[in-house]
Amino acid sequence: GESVGLHLPTLSVQEGDNSIINCAYSNSASDYFIWYKQESGKGPQFIIDIRSNMDKRQGQRVTVLLNKTVKHLSLQIAATQPGDSAVYFCAEKSSRSGGSNYKLTFGKGTLLTVNP
Amino acid sequence: NAGVTQTPKFQVLKTGQSMTLQCAQDMNHNSMYWYRQDPGMGLRLIYYSASEGTTDKGEVPNGYNVSRLNKREFSLRLESAAPSQTSVYFCASRLAGAANEQFFGPGTRLTVL
């Protein structure tokens, strides 16, 4: 079935280090993968997305890597800052879910804590 | 722009009571969504509205109804609240088409006793 899960529920890093948040998925029919950040007491905020025909996409201080062979994606945050402390969710969009039927399936999230 | 706004921020209900959660967006987005988030869980889709005048069930629609009042507003109604509906509810909007970015509101924390 369709599911999006995470390897680690929590991740603690030192300020300035690089962070890697992992996500496994099972739906081979996903055509987009999206990362969201949720700070405490707030709604999720879009970070970056990657199309399934890509292996890598870079944004500002973030890089998404997609390995379709093992159905795994990761979010890398460079020079992690205290403001990066949040829960990070991966989400997948099925290729069958488009247009008026657009829907996302979210994973359970990883809590990133950045220590000063 | 205020983005996506939700009211109320907090609500406590007794089992069997009804209430409506309000959501509005000022970004002229076509699609709107209602999610619930439970501890240790990701977001689960309750209902969505691809465009004004249409609504569809998501993953967990039982016990809820929705109304897309106009392009700006999308409300979620609990007709007879149950303790299992204790959760944080998020409304989101999306422009349309291939855009993957959903804009989320601040959430409504609902407790059903």
Side-chain angles (χ1 to χ4, degrees), chain B residues 2-16:
Chain B
V4 179
T5 57
Q6 292 183 237
T7 55
K9 289 189 177 356
F10 302 93
Q11 184 70 50
V12 178
L13 293 177
K14 295 180 179 178
T15 297

Side-chain angles (χ1 to χ4, degrees), chain B residues 5 23-26 29 32 68-74:
Chain B
T5 57
C23 174
Q25 52 91 11
D26 62 0
H29 285 174
M32 298 185 73
R68 184 74 183 268
L69 304 171
N70 47 55
K71 192 171 186 179
R72 290 186 65 251
E73 299 171 287
F74 188 39

Side-chain angles (χ1 to χ4, degrees), chain B:
Chain B
N1 286 354
V4 179
T5 57
Q6 292 183 237
T7 55
K9 289 189 177 356
F10 302 93
Q11 184 70 50
V12 178
L13 293 177
K14 295 180 179 178
T15 297
Q17 288 184 316
S18 62
M19 79 161 296
T20 300
L21 282 65
Q22 306 287 352
C23 174
Q25 52 91 11
D26 62 0
M27 297 173 283
N28 202 35
H29 285 174
N30 294 297
S31 301
M32 298 185 73
Y33 305 82
W34 275 106
Y35 294 90
R36 60 178 289 173
Q37 184 176 37
D38 300 299
M41 303 283 289
L43 290 94
R44 291 185 291 170
L45 183 64
I46 305 171
Y47 269 93
Y48 65 104
S49 171
S51 61
E52 185 179 356
T54 68
T55 61
D56 285 286
K57 295 178 179 179
E59 182 185 353
V60 288
N62 291 346
Y64 306 95
N65 285 301
V66 290
S67 294
R68 184 74 183 268
L69 304 171
N70 47 55
K71 192 171 186 179
R72 290 186 65 251
E73 299 171 287
F74 188 39
S75 63
L76 178 72
R77 182 161 179 83
L78 287 71
E79 290 291 350
S80 179
S84 62
Q85 294 178 304
T86 294
S87 190
V88 180
Y89 291 85
F90 289 100
C91 177
S93 70
R94 186 177 70 92
L95 181 58
N100 281 318
E101 183 171 4
Q102 292 188 19
F103 293 80
F104 284 82
T108 294
R109 186 174 293 274
L110 175 67
T111 301
V112 183
L113 303 175

Side-chain angles (χ1 to χ4, degrees), chain A residues 48-66:
Chain A
I48 191 169
D49 63 357
I50 185 169
R51 192 165 180 170
S52 60
N53 62 355
M54 299 171 66
D55 298 324
K56 179 179 180 179
R57 188 174 187 202
Q58 290 186 294
Q60 188 175 13
R61 278 202 308 119
V62 296
T63 301
V64 183
L65 298 178
L66 178 61

